[in-house]
Amino acid sequence: MKRLEDYVRSIPDFPEEGIIFRDVTSVLQDPDGLTLAIDSLKEKLKDIDFDIIAGTESRGFIFGVPVAYALHKAFVPIRKKGKLPRETISESYDLEYGSATIEMHRDAIKPGDRVVLIDDLIATGGTIEASIRMIEALGGKVEKIVFLMELAGLKGRERLKDYDVDSVIIYEGK
């Protein structure tokens, strides 16, 4: 039986020399790989008591929605600025070259909601940190954060040290 790592295609020197790009689309393109990915994420949540799964655009949607469906939980999308039609809450964060802003509907999280965040990859942790700030500003509590893959060399987990963080696959480099 193949491991999830066997479905991830590693592309050297992309987007720049010395970087190994971990391509999640190769997981999505294989029915067994996709099933294993969703099942692995679900397994990370088996002992967690929570109400809502939230995921960031767009790969957090790809992995978060099927997990929410399988566990009969609500799903809250966290999107790029300007994509949501109702009243939103927003949070800006720094990128390597510039900044970005993400939003969620202001009524998506209610005080006391217990939330799990799911995304495909943790690198520096900036997007998830901004997501946490919005969830907490609305009175939600982040119970766990689960990633399919982690680039440990970028130290994103350190940025999220106050939270229960788990990854299915951990790559030591960048």
Side-chain angles (χ1 to χ4, degrees):
M1 181 169 179
K2 288 173 87 171
R3 300 172 312 136
L4 188 56
E5 294 90 323
D6 298 330
Y7 294 97
V8 177
R9 190 173 300 142
S10 296
I11 301 164
D13 299 322
F14 184 84
E16 59 188 51
E17 192 170 329
I19 301 293
I20 300 174
F21 185 83
R22 307 298 179 173
D23 185 11
V24 74
T25 63
S26 53
V27 174
L28 300 172
Q29 292 170 335
D30 187 291
D32 293 332
L34 179 57
T35 299
L36 185 56
I38 299 305
D39 288 348
S40 298
L41 291 165
K42 280 179 19 190
E43 179 67 20
K44 298 286 186 187
L45 300 176
K46 71 179 180 187
D47 297 321
I48 304 299
D49 188 19
F50 67 98
D51 307 301
I52 295 170
I53 291 178
T56 56
E57 187 171 356
S58 67
R59 292 174 304 258
F61 296 6
I62 291 170
F63 293 105
V65 168
V67 174
Y69 173 82
L71 298 177
H72 196 69
K73 301 292 183 180
F75 181 81
V76 171
I78 299 171
R79 302 216 50 197
K80 294 173 185 156
K81 185 174 177 59
K83 301 288 185 179
L84 293 170
R86 298 189 323 266
E87 186 181 353
T88 60
I89 182 172
S90 65
E91 190 70 38
S92 296
Y93 61 100
D94 291 329
L95 300 166
E96 189 174 356
Y97 303 105
S99 63
T101 302
I102 54 175
E103 297 179 324
M104 62 192 296
H105 282 130
R106 184 169 290 284
D107 64 357
I109 304 292
K110 310 248 180 319
D113 280 346
R114 297 160 301 163
V115 181
V116 165
L117 278 158
I118 292 181
D119 207 352
D120 71 319
L121 177 75
I122 179 173
T124 63
T127 305
I128 291 296
E129 186 180 50
S131 300
I132 291 167
R133 286 195 301 264
M134 287 190 298
I135 290 165
E136 291 177 346
L138 293 173
K141 181 178 185 314
V142 176
E143 296 293 338
K144 189 168 182 94
I145 307 165
V146 183
F147 300 97
L148 192 65
M149 299 182 290
E150 178 175 346
L151 303 178
L154 294 175
K155 303 189 184 314
R157 185 181 287 257
E158 291 175 14
R159 194 174 197 164
L160 307 173
K161 67 183 180 317
D162 295 331
Y163 299 90
D164 181 2
V165 176
D166 209 346
S167 301
V168 176
I169 303 170
I170 299 176
Y171 294 103
E172 292 306 317
K174 298 179 181 179

